[in-house]
Amino acid sequence: MGGTTRYATAFVWAVLLSSGGLAQDGGWEESIRAAREALATERYDTAARILRRAQSLSSRFATDDPRRVVPLMELAKLHLQRGDYAVPEQLYREADPIARQAWGADSTEYASLLNQIGRYYHLRVKYAEAERFYRLAFSIRTRHLGRDHPDVAAVVNNLAVLYENQVQYAKSETYYRTALDIRERALGPDDLSTIETLEHLARLLHKLSRPGDAAPLEARAREYRRTAASDPQTGDPGVPATGGETQPAVLMERSEPDYTDEARIANHEGSVLLQADIDADGRPANLLVVRPLGLGLDEEAVKAVRQWSFRPARRGGRRVASRVRLEISFRLM
């Protein structure tokens, strides 16, 4: 990538535990960690009980302390993982005024929450609400970050998927091309986000009966994936680690995710990008959706990856925990 600038984004509530500007509270932090571990192993009742305790502890914090948002967002995640899509709406409503007070209604942190709520409504096929939250997030991010920032491209890409789901294909194409232009320039051609948008746009062009326009995009996506796969920065699991180097975790067994009825009906394809911690026994935990696809496919990807097994990373011949990013593709046959 040479001198290309690299960007990294994460949902605010997922990184608050390491925020140096917040006062520390061991009981609250331990509750959140324990709840996330319970969620990762599908111990939902345990996670819910711990999160209620964390919520109670957070009530002692100042009204503008963003930690008050975290238990609500984790509870929303819990219900989504259980397939209960109604409860998170109330949790988001509770989190919204707290987040606005903590970060300000015109902050990029608050825009991350708005974008997440937009994804929730998108999943629920409540397209008007999804568009409203996406557009609010877009407005804030554009104002603070400029139109050429990858966080802006993320919202534009979400809107493109939304319009595609609504069969507003011409509008969707415009948004995909805008997101692609930003991502290629800001992240580079072999970034997974860039490749995903290329593939989305190619799929849309097939729907528009324009295979000739789709073909070069598909060729570019294939070439970029080859480039990304051969990038030395990604590591080569077939080469033993030497000295102090770490040999990355290697996927050994996998189960394929199920396609949701909503996604199948909408002819919705693409890929979900997950972040996972692989422990020293090769088990995935602490799964986080980095790049969602919507329509229930994010939850199916998480459910599948929980069943995967890895050869754990090694350093100096010893097994060690590591963090990986996993791209799970959904294609209709």
Side-chain angles (χ1 to χ4, degrees), residues 163-238:
Y163 295 136
E164 182 181 354
N165 294 156
Q166 294 176 294
V167 199
Q168 298 184 45
Y169 291 158
K171 195 171 187 179
S172 177
E173 180 179 356
T174 298
Y175 278 72
Y176 276 136
R177 290 191 183 279
T178 300
L180 178 61
D181 177 63
I182 296 172
R183 283 176 162 172
E184 283 194 313
R185 287 186 288 107
L187 299 172
D190 58 350
D191 185 87
L192 289 176
S193 298
T194 304
I195 297 168
E196 178 207 41
T197 303
L198 263 176
E199 293 170 338
H200 278 312
L201 178 56
R203 178 194 64 215
L204 177 69
L205 292 172
H206 278 295
K207 290 181 181 180
L208 289 167
S209 299
R210 292 160 55 188
D213 292 336
L217 298 180
E218 292 170 324
R220 284 166 60 191
R222 286 193 298 270
E223 177 59 30
Y224 292 162
R225 283 195 181 278
R226 280 195 293 270
T227 302
S230 62
D231 188 340
Q233 296 180 7
T234 66
D236 180 359

Side-chain angles (χ1 to χ4, degrees), residues 302-318:
V302 169
K303 190 185 303 182
V305 170
R306 285 203 189 97
Q307 310 304 315
W308 292 8
S309 64
F310 293 77
R311 186 174 70 208
R314 289 179 179 271
R315 181 182 300 123
R318 299 181 58 185

Side-chain angles (χ1 to χ4, degrees), residues 3 15 120 146 184 267 321 327:
V15 297
Y120 165 74
E184 283 194 313
N267 198 28
E327 186 172 28

Side-chain angles (χ1 to χ4, degrees), residues 130-144:
E131 182 178 15
R132 180 167 67 88
F133 281 99
Y134 283 154
R135 287 199 168 279
L136 285 170
F138 171 81
S139 177
I140 294 170
R141 285 180 170 177
T142 302
R143 192 157 51 248
H144 288 281

Side-chain angles (χ1 to χ4, degrees), residues 39-42 44 81 284 287 299 301-308:
L39 271 176
T41 54
E42 299 185 355
Y44 297 126
Q81 288 184 196
L287 271 68
E299 290 73 23
V302 169
K303 190 185 303 182
V305 170
R306 285 203 189 97
Q307 310 304 315
W308 292 8

